[in-house]
Amino acid sequence: MPFLITAVVFVGLLCALDLVLTFGVVKRLREHSGLLSAMEPGPGLGVGESVGGFRTADVDGAPLGPDTLAAATFVAFISPTCGSCKEKLPELVRYAHRLREVGEEMLAVVVGNAEEARSFAADLRPVARVAVEGSGGPLGTAFRASSYPTMLWVAPDADGRLVRVARSAALAS
């Protein structure tokens, strides 16, 4: 009988210890969830929201602003430091080529320093309008693009403001 009592007390203490450790893990997970949610980018530009104002130039020196984009434009923000962007670049080039064939336009915004962005811009330049800017540049700010790749369709609304008209299902992850 003393053996049985000892075994039951041991199992009870083991369960109590397990419960304490589980509460500790749950507390740490809540802390980490809070930290991760603080690091996540904002929701970005929602469908129907207006693009902010911007004035810049593309890699060919042509002025670039809300009024210089076509009726409907596919906009892709990519970065040479983004692994997913590197993987999707060939597909993005093919997509830009298909858009051009049907008379639609793509604006590719390569985010990074000029040296890093050179190869991305060279690949996209024959089939899309390309702009290169650093993080926090005028296009990224206007479109609220804070993570890469970010891809969306924009078009002028009835008042002439450039608005996001659809989510991109083409390449976005």
Side-chain angles (χ1 to χ4, degrees):
M1 193 70 165
F3 175 72
L4 185 58
I5 294 173
T6 305
V8 169
V9 169
F10 177 73
V11 169
L13 290 174
L14 191 61
C15 288
L17 176 64
D18 182 52
L19 187 62
V20 169
L21 292 175
T22 301
F23 282 132
V25 168
V26 169
K27 180 182 176 196
R28 291 292 298 221
L29 284 174
R30 285 186 181 150
E31 290 172 4
H32 284 272
S33 293
L35 291 172
L36 287 173
S37 65
M39 291 173 47
E40 288 177 1
L45 198 60
V47 174
E49 289 186 294
S50 295
V51 175
F54 62 92
R55 289 281 168 218
T56 188
D58 63 19
V59 293
D60 296 322
L64 186 58
D67 56 327
T68 64
L69 296 180
T73 304
F74 182 76
V75 183
F77 286 85
I78 56 174
S79 174
T81 60
C82 160
S84 180
C85 297
K86 289 177 185 175
E87 292 173 12
K88 291 183 180 192
L89 183 61
E91 186 179 352
L92 186 62
V93 170
R94 286 191 299 273
Y95 188 66
H97 184 70
R98 288 193 305 268
L99 287 175
R100 182 163 277 191
E101 286 177 345
V102 297
E104 293 180 333
E105 183 177 309
M106 177 189 287
L107 170 62
V109 182
V110 184
V111 181
N113 68 46
E115 187 63 35
E116 291 175 329
R118 183 173 291 137
S119 68
F120 273 44
D123 289 345
L124 287 161
R125 193 169 175 206
V127 291
R129 191 165 184 193
V130 179
V132 175
E133 68 178 18
S135 181
L139 291 165
T141 302
F143 285 86
R144 289 188 265 172
S146 58
S147 62
Y148 312 105
T150 295
M151 299 177 195
L152 52 120
W153 280 96
V154 295
D157 67 1
D159 297 326
R161 294 173 301 162
L162 193 62
V163 298
R164 180 173 185 172
V165 293
R167 299 198 181 279
S168 167
L171 303 169
S173 53

